[in-house]
Amino acid sequence: MQRKISCTIITYNEEDRIARCLNSVRDLVDEIIVVDSGSSDRTIEICKSFGAKCFHNAWVGYGQQKRFAEDLTAHDWILNLDADEWLTDKTRAQIQDLFRNKSDDEIYGYQFKIKQVYPGANKPRLLADYHLYIRLYNKNFCRFPDSAVFDEVKLDRKNMGFISGPIFHQSILSIRHLIDKNVKYYKLQSKEINKSHPSTIPRIAVEPFTVFFKYYLLKRHFTGGAYGFIVAATIAMLRTYRLIIISSSGKAKEDLPVR
């Protein structure tokens, strides 16, 4: 018997992008669980039109919100997506094949490449950067952490599979949105970090240059032309702002992805 999948999505005022996410999973999964934290737009209306089961939960944090969604699912296997993410046709086909056939009983979760898509585009730029995350997993063996800022499912390598089809992620709508989103996230992050470290303040002098180098060259935003340059420069500025915030409150986990 083919294993059943529950899809979980957390939302807040996502009417401009939630339909793309839902459309990419509605013929793939057996139920869609949406946990909304108080949308004032058409988010819930759109979700219900796709047959999603919608629930309200006041915002407490990323990890806690996703754990709340996990508890509402009817099936053991969960596909977690953010409202600004969607599956490609290749990814859908691979998941269908995987769950149609008997797979390794020791594999409890599958990693995907989460590929960034620029605002206004419908696919990643050439050589786009990506992050590896477990997004399809058995909730009996792993779950999201009970954390406001750290929302990543963890597994031992021996129990982890890989699906080569990507998940596309259009995390920002504009440069202004990139700034607002990360400022809000860093302020939330500062509440969960350890005590400050003496090296934090000296890092402020060099961080803008190292971060720009990392994003523009190593993460290949140079393939995005002028817009890629602006993105890399903005991220460098934001990381400096992050250091200023944590210089008086603690030291955050290194290399957190731009959300």
Side-chain angles (χ1 to χ4, degrees):
M1 183 180 295
Q2 181 171 330
R3 291 169 294 177
K4 293 187 175 182
I5 305 174
S6 298
C7 178
T8 58
I9 307 169
I10 62 173
T11 60
Y12 178 73
N13 289 340
E14 312 286 357
E15 67 176 5
D16 57 340
R17 45 191 169 176
I18 189 63
R20 180 174 57 189
C21 174
L22 294 166
N23 192 53
S24 75
V25 300
R26 65 174 172 179
D27 295 327
L28 173 68
V29 301
D30 299 279
E31 68 170 356
I32 301 173
I33 301 294
V34 171
V35 175
D36 187 81
S37 54
S39 292
S40 58
D41 62 4
R42 296 180 56 248
T43 296
I44 297 301
E45 177 187 342
I46 295 169
C47 290
K48 287 183 176 179
S49 73
F50 280 85
K53 301 173 184 177
C54 300
F55 303 85
H56 172 77
N57 193 49
W59 180 257
V60 287
Y62 292 98
Q64 292 97 329
Q65 204 76 345
K66 292 187 177 186
R67 286 179 70 89
F68 183 87
E70 288 172 340
D71 290 335
L72 295 169
T73 57
H75 309 301
D76 292 337
W77 281 92
I78 296 176
L79 172 65
N80 173 256
L81 292 177
D82 289 340
D84 53 10
E85 297 175 339
W86 67 99
L87 303 182
T88 67
D89 290 341
K90 175 183 177 181
T91 309
R92 289 166 49 86
Q94 289 181 345
I95 294 174
Q96 287 174 330
D97 288 344
L98 178 69
F99 274 59
R100 187 179 296 123
N101 302 310
K102 181 175 176 59
S103 60
D104 190 343
D105 290 336
E106 296 300 311
I107 298 298
Y108 307 140
Y110 294 88
Q111 273 190 334
F112 296 80
K113 288 182 178 180
I114 314 295
K115 291 194 170 184
Q116 295 290 325
V117 180
Y118 280 169
N122 56 20
K123 63 180 180 179
R125 69 189 186 281
L126 178 67
L127 301 176
D129 61 317
Y130 61 86
H131 296 286
L132 286 172
Y133 286 123
I134 294 172
R135 288 302 189 85
L136 179 62
Y137 61 96
N138 188 321
K139 67 181 180 184
N140 294 316
F141 298 94
C142 54
R143 296 187 63 179
F144 279 95
D146 184 17
S147 167
V149 292
F150 302 126
D151 57 339
E152 183 178 353
V153 175
K154 298 287 190 179
L155 265 178
D156 288 340
R157 284 284 176 187
K158 65 180 180 180
N159 302 123
M160 188 187 308
F162 177 72
I163 293 177
S164 62
I167 296 175
F168 287 170
H169 184 202
Q170 196 164 56
S171 62
I172 61 170
L173 304 174
S174 64
I175 296 298
R176 179 74 255 176
H177 183 229
L178 171 64
I179 294 171
D180 291 344
K181 190 173 184 178
N182 279 274
V183 166
K184 180 180 178 181
Y185 180 68
Y186 293 152
K187 288 180 178 178
L188 181 64
Q189 183 193 87
S190 68
K191 299 177 182 178
E192 277 203 20
I193 54 182
N194 300 323
K195 295 300 180 181
S196 65
H197 191 276
S199 66
T200 301
I201 294 178
R203 282 174 57 192
I204 293 174
V206 298
E207 191 97 343
F209 306 100
T210 57
V211 171
F212 178 81
F213 175 83
K214 175 182 177 180
Y215 278 84
Y216 191 64
L217 295 178
L218 300 184
K219 289 185 174 291
R220 302 176 295 280
H221 279 277
F222 64 86
T223 65
Y227 195 84
F229 180 90
I230 295 171
V231 168
T234 302
I235 293 171
M237 177 197 71
L238 285 165
R239 290 302 173 86
T240 306
Y241 173 77
R242 169 176 170 262
L243 281 177
I244 293 171
I245 290 179
I246 67 174
S247 64
S248 59
S249 60
K251 184 180 71 172
K253 181 180 178 183
E254 298 295 331
D255 294 327
L256 284 170
V258 172
R259 303 188 69 84

